[in-house]
C-alpha cells in the first residue's frame, strides 16, 4: 500500500499505462474500407429472352439493371 502512495510509484504507473495504451493503439488491426469504397462487381451482365418476349424487353431490362447497379 505504501508504494501506491509514493509519488514516484504513481508516475511510473501512469507511464506504464500510457505506454501500454500507445502500444495497443499501434498494434490494433487496420480498418477495412467502408461499405461502397471497395471494388465494384456487377452480378448481372444481360438478361436472356427464354420466355420469347419481344426483342427490346430483354435489352431494356439489361440496361435498367446495369444503370441501377452502377448508380449504387
Amino acid at each position: 500500500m505504501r508504494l501506491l502512495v509514493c509519488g514516484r510509484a504513481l508516475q511510473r504507473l501512469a507511464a506504464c499505462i500510457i505506454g501500454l495504451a500507445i502500444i495497443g493503439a499501434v498494434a490494433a488491426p487496420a480498418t477495412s474500407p467502408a461499405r461502397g469504397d471497395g471494388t465494384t462487381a456487377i452480378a448481372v451482365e444481360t438478361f436472356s429472352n427464354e420466355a420469347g418476349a419481344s426483342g427490346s424487353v430483354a435489352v431494356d431490362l439489361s440496361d435498367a439493371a446495369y444503370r441501377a447497379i452502377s448508380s449504387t
Side-chain angles (χ1 to χ4, degrees), residues 11-68:
Q11 287 177 348
R12 288 181 183 168
L13 180 63
C16 287
I17 291 173
I18 292 171
L20 289 175
I22 291 172
I23 290 171
V26 171
T31 59
S32 61
R35 185 173 178 177
D37 287 346
T39 59
T40 304
I42 297 176
V44 178
E45 291 181 12
T46 58
F47 285 96
S48 60
N49 191 4
E50 296 175 1
S54 65
S56 64
V57 172
V59 174
D60 291 341
L61 285 174
S62 298
D63 291 340
Y66 180 78
R67 282 193 305 266

